[in-house]
Amino acid sequence: MGEHNQMSIIKNSNKVISMTFDVEFFYNRALRYLDRKDYPKALKYFWKTIDFEPNNPVHYCNIASLLAEMGRFKESNELLLYVIGKLDPTIVECYYYLANNYAYLDDFATSYKYLQRYIDAAPDGEFISEAYEMLSYISSEVDDVRFEHSDSEDELYIVHNAAKNLLDEGKYYEAEKKLKKLVNDYPDYLPARNNLALAYFYLGNYVKAIEHTKSVIEKENTNIHAFCNLAIFYRHLNQEEELNQILNILRKLHPFQKEYLYKLATTFAILEEHEMAFNHLHRLLNRGEIADPTLLHYGAIAALNSGKLIFAEKWWNQILRIDNNSQIASFYLDFITNLNSEDFNIELPNYFYQYELPIEDLVTGLYLNDVDKHSYFLSILEWGLANGSEKVKELSIIGLSIYKNKMVEKKLREFLLNEQESYYLKKKVMFVLEEMNVKPPFKILINNKVFEMTRETPDLKSWKKNWLLVLEYLNENVSYNVKEFFDAKSLWYEFISKTYPKTPQIRKVEGWVAALEYIVMKIHQKPISIESLSEKYHVSSSTISKNIGIFEDVFEL
């Protein structure tokens, strides 16, 4: 990158260490001071990059952006006009930056002029939605300004936003249909291509997902969204060589725009490149803007996963200052307070980045053996049992059942004596203790009275072979999520306990498993039909219906 200057630093009088000063050195130094909000020094080093590459328009745009950040809008405008007038007229984003600067200078007429130029030059540009929004504001400030746009442009943005909403809602087939039409009608509108690639990916059509993403890069080889998506696709497909090539590109990117910083940060988080995720999130959170809790939480998890507990604690405390009732921030602050010194180098799974309590995903991971049974995961479940909502407590009970040790037994026995807890949850605890083969009696507090309960179901050692086979089928049923699986097991235990010793003969095991699945799906209000279960388990509909009737009688459904 350009010519090199060399300086020798003398150490210990007998060693000479050669340092190479090139454009990348000064660029990285500028970024470092920018992160520290030392704008004068950042500006000094950005100007140094121009000494090496005087015809590179990117360096001038960097300086123009920083000057605008410092409130030096007129100087920023001079550089932007120099870029589009002398260096590279294709960098049409300069029109948008000029419009922003003139708006800050209260010159709304000139701002409007440059917004129109930007919209005309880049109808599918990166800042097009912001330009429309800004133009509607400026129109009210300037006399006789009229914003003209075509009906087809209106349709494009309306349909694209609708398709994005469908993606967010998990309606991938509907999103795919809309996005395919958009790409056919507007082949150069790259956001639609990127989102169509995502729709294909979510639908499992990985070949088309990669194909469409590469087509975006062919049209625009600086499209950060496309490179980020491609990296995630390659990670999912375990294509390490291709992934590393994309990662080498992403690691060199240092965008100023908030949207791109956020996209890079979340991508690095998904790829478990937590140090890189932290660096970008730190830059975002260090801008002095009012950060939203979701962004602060992302930063805190990245900090925790890269061993920077001070930042993690700082950002979760910041969430509490924004929302002092935030259960999520309280949860994580308790979590890091109780970490043992040997746990400081932990790496939490990716779903911890979601701004919600991670109990359900954690319990699922424990059930599927996707995560190790670390002591700090146990502490998370204990927190959920003590502080969570009814749903979180139920999931925590399910998760604790996996550990099956004396400490868990003690916690669950204490739960049975807590007058604040519901009888519904205490029944769940009773089931877990029985499944753990904990020795009765179980003391349980109901209506301010303590009762001693014995085991409700016969000991597993006395279970008949086909009763146990039903449990084996349940363990292999991939249709259930973790809560449905737990409910299916507990219903089967309850069925045995309520009918024992006159439990009906279990001849065709598949017929009982199918009937149990029908009951569980109905409880969880999920669509299910006897015909589909008949095909799935290769058993007659009449057998399933008969067993459903027996369950309904026993459970009084």
Side-chain angles (χ1 to χ4, degrees):
M1 297 176 76
E3 59 182 295
H4 292 67
N5 289 339
Q6 288 196 331
M7 175 182 287
S8 295
I9 298 178
I10 300 175
K11 283 193 173 184
N12 299 330
S13 72
N14 60 352
K15 285 188 179 179
V16 177
I17 300 173
S18 179
M19 288 184 63
T20 300
F21 291 156
D22 58 11
V23 67
E24 191 168 349
F25 170 84
F26 289 111
Y27 175 71
N28 289 330
R29 185 60 62 92
L31 287 181
R32 186 188 305 174
Y33 284 112
L34 192 65
D35 285 342
R36 297 175 185 172
K37 294 191 178 299
D38 190 339
Y39 293 154
K41 283 188 178 177
L43 187 61
K44 169 187 169 183
Y45 286 108
F46 273 136
W47 277 115
K48 288 280 189 183
T49 62
I50 287 178
D51 291 342
F52 287 92
E53 295 179 349
N55 295 318
N56 188 333
V58 173
H59 300 322
Y60 291 89
C61 289
N62 288 339
I63 295 170
S65 177
L66 180 53
L67 287 169
E69 189 79 18
M70 297 168 74
R72 294 160 63 175
F73 300 111
K74 290 182 180 179
E75 295 169 75
S76 175
N77 286 345
E78 288 174 8
L79 288 179
L80 292 169
L81 290 168
Y82 178 72
V83 169
I84 54 179
K86 300 288 186 182
L87 295 179
D88 190 349
T90 66
I91 303 181
V92 294
E93 289 80 9
C94 289
Y95 294 131
Y96 178 74
Y97 300 142
L98 283 162
N100 269 283
N101 287 349
Y102 279 111
Y104 276 112
L105 293 167
D106 291 333
D107 186 348
F108 295 113
T110 307
S111 177
Y112 173 83
K113 178 183 76 174
Y114 282 112
L115 279 173
Q116 280 284 33
R117 284 192 186 178
Y118 175 68
I119 290 167
D120 291 342
D124 308 324
E126 175 191 347
F127 304 111
I128 197 68
S129 59
E130 291 91 339
Y132 280 129
E133 186 178 344
M134 191 174 167
L135 204 57
S136 65
Y137 164 72
I138 288 176
S139 297
S140 65
E141 298 288 331
V142 182
D143 292 337
D144 300 324
V145 166
R146 295 291 180 269
F147 173 44
E148 297 179 2
H149 55 276
S150 68
D151 291 340
S152 63
E153 286 173 340
D154 277 345
E155 181 190 5
L156 169 63
Y157 299 115
I158 290 168
V159 174
H160 185 239
N161 282 332
K164 281 170 64 180
N165 289 336
L166 289 171
L167 274 181
D168 293 339
E169 294 166 10
K171 298 175 180 176
Y172 305 129
Y173 285 106
E174 295 172 54
E176 177 204 10
K177 187 177 178 182
K178 283 184 180 291
L179 289 164
K180 278 175 75 173
K181 186 175 187 310
L182 270 183
V183 168
N184 288 332
D185 293 345
Y186 303 93
D188 294 324
Y189 186 57
L190 300 185
R193 280 186 183 271
N194 272 330
N195 282 315
L196 179 57
L198 286 173
Y200 282 134
F201 176 73
Y202 295 138
L203 290 169
N205 193 337
Y206 304 129
V207 173
K208 279 195 172 182
I210 291 172
E211 180 184 298
H212 275 266
T213 306
K214 285 183 174 179
S215 75
V216 172
I217 293 170
E218 285 173 9
K219 287 177 175 288
E220 185 179 278
N221 63 6
T222 58
N223 193 294
I224 289 178
H225 284 276
F227 279 110
C228 287
N229 291 344
L230 199 55
I232 292 167
F233 299 163
Y234 286 143
R235 164 56 64 86
H236 183 78
L237 296 170
N238 294 318
Q239 296 183 12
E240 293 299 320
E241 186 177 342
E242 292 86 349
L243 171 62
N244 287 330
Q245 289 174 1
I246 302 299
L247 277 175
N248 287 335
I249 295 170
L250 294 180
R251 289 187 185 115
K252 294 175 183 176
L253 299 179
H254 300 280
F256 284 119
Q257 293 92 338
K258 182 176 180 178
E259 175 196 354
Y260 289 154
L261 275 173
Y262 187 76
K263 179 68 176 180
L264 276 173
T266 53
T267 300
F268 280 123
I270 292 168
L271 298 174
E272 297 174 345
E273 295 263 337
H274 303 296
E275 191 76 38
M276 292 298 298
F278 171 81
N279 290 340
H280 289 302
L281 288 162
H282 185 250
R283 285 184 63 198
L284 271 174
L285 292 166
N286 211 30
R287 287 184 165 194
E289 302 172 9
I290 298 174
D292 66 275
T294 302
L295 185 59
L296 286 164
H297 175 70
Y298 252 88
I301 292 292
L304 182 61
N305 277 344
S306 50
K308 300 174 178 65
L309 266 67
I310 292 174
F311 284 98
E313 185 176 10
K314 170 188 170 183
W315 287 330
W316 277 316
N317 274 314
Q318 205 168 325
I319 292 175
L320 281 181
R321 287 196 290 274
I322 297 169
D323 175 12
N324 58 13
N325 293 318
S326 172
Q327 195 179 44
I328 297 168
S330 300
F331 161 74
Y332 280 102
L333 286 168
D334 283 350
F335 173 63
I336 60 175
T337 300
N338 294 319
L339 279 178
N340 298 318
S341 57
E342 63 266 22
D343 293 332
F344 284 173
N345 293 322
I346 66 173
E347 184 175 323
L348 297 174
N350 284 339
Y351 49 75
F352 278 75
Y353 277 100
Q354 298 168 21
Y355 188 56
E356 58 187 37
L357 291 175
I359 304 290
E360 185 166 0
D361 286 315
L362 174 58
V363 172
T364 301
L366 289 167
Y367 255 88
L368 298 175
N369 292 316
D370 286 343
V371 294
D372 295 328
K373 297 181 178 67
H374 286 299
S375 59
Y376 47 79
F377 289 147
L378 180 58
S379 70
I380 289 172
L381 297 171
E382 289 172 353
W383 188 96
L385 186 67
N387 303 289
S389 63
E390 187 94 346
K391 179 185 176 183
V392 168
K393 287 181 178 181
E394 183 177 0
L395 287 165
S396 299
I397 291 165
I398 297 170
L400 287 168
S401 70
I402 298 166
Y403 283 84
K404 297 181 180 177
N405 58 38
K406 287 292 182 184
M407 188 172 69
V408 168
E409 178 189 337
K410 181 174 180 290
K411 290 282 182 186
L412 294 177
R413 284 184 181 274
E414 289 171 355
F415 188 90
L416 292 175
L417 292 170
N418 188 333
E419 62 181 3
Q420 304 297 325
E421 305 300 349
S422 68
Y423 181 64
Y424 169 80
L425 288 177
K426 288 178 180 179
K427 279 190 69 177
K428 299 284 183 183
V429 168
M430 288 281 292
F431 165 68
V432 166
L433 289 170
E434 288 193 11
E435 195 187 26
M436 289 169 61
N437 281 322
V438 170
K439 189 176 180 180
F442 309 119
K443 291 183 179 180
I444 181 170
L445 182 65
I446 304 172
N447 295 329
N448 296 319
K449 291 184 180 179
V450 176
F451 297 88
E452 282 198 355
M453 310 287 285
T454 58
R455 187 181 179 95
E456 292 189 350
T457 56
D459 191 289
L460 283 173
K461 292 176 183 176
S462 62
W463 277 40
K464 294 182 179 180
K465 180 182 176 182
N466 280 2
W467 300 358
L468 293 169
L469 278 176
V470 171
L471 285 180
E472 285 185 25
Y473 263 99
L474 294 180
N475 285 324
E476 295 168 3
N477 191 335
V478 294
S479 302
Y480 291 138
N481 64 33
V482 68
K483 191 172 182 310
E484 291 159 359
F485 170 64
F486 184 82
D487 286 346
K489 276 204 308 182
S490 59
L491 281 171
W492 185 243
Y493 271 78
E494 188 176 350
F495 176 73
I496 298 296
S497 69
K498 284 190 171 184
T499 58
Y500 186 80
K502 296 181 179 180
T503 304
Q505 279 197 319
I506 311 297
R507 290 193 180 91
K508 187 76 173 174
V509 170
E510 293 86 350
W512 289 93
V513 174
L516 193 56
E517 184 172 331
Y518 182 89
I519 297 293
V520 170
M521 292 297 115
K522 286 297 182 183
I523 289 171
H524 287 270
Q525 299 180 340
K526 286 191 173 180
I528 192 74
S529 71
I530 292 173
E531 291 74 19
S532 65
L533 291 168
S534 175
E535 287 183 23
K536 178 178 178 179
Y537 290 102
H538 306 291
V539 65
S540 69
S541 297
S542 59
T543 298
I544 297 172
S545 297
K546 182 189 75 174
N547 293 340
I548 289 171
I550 295 171
F551 278 135
E552 288 176 339
D553 289 341
V554 171
F555 297 134
E556 299 178 357
L557 297 174

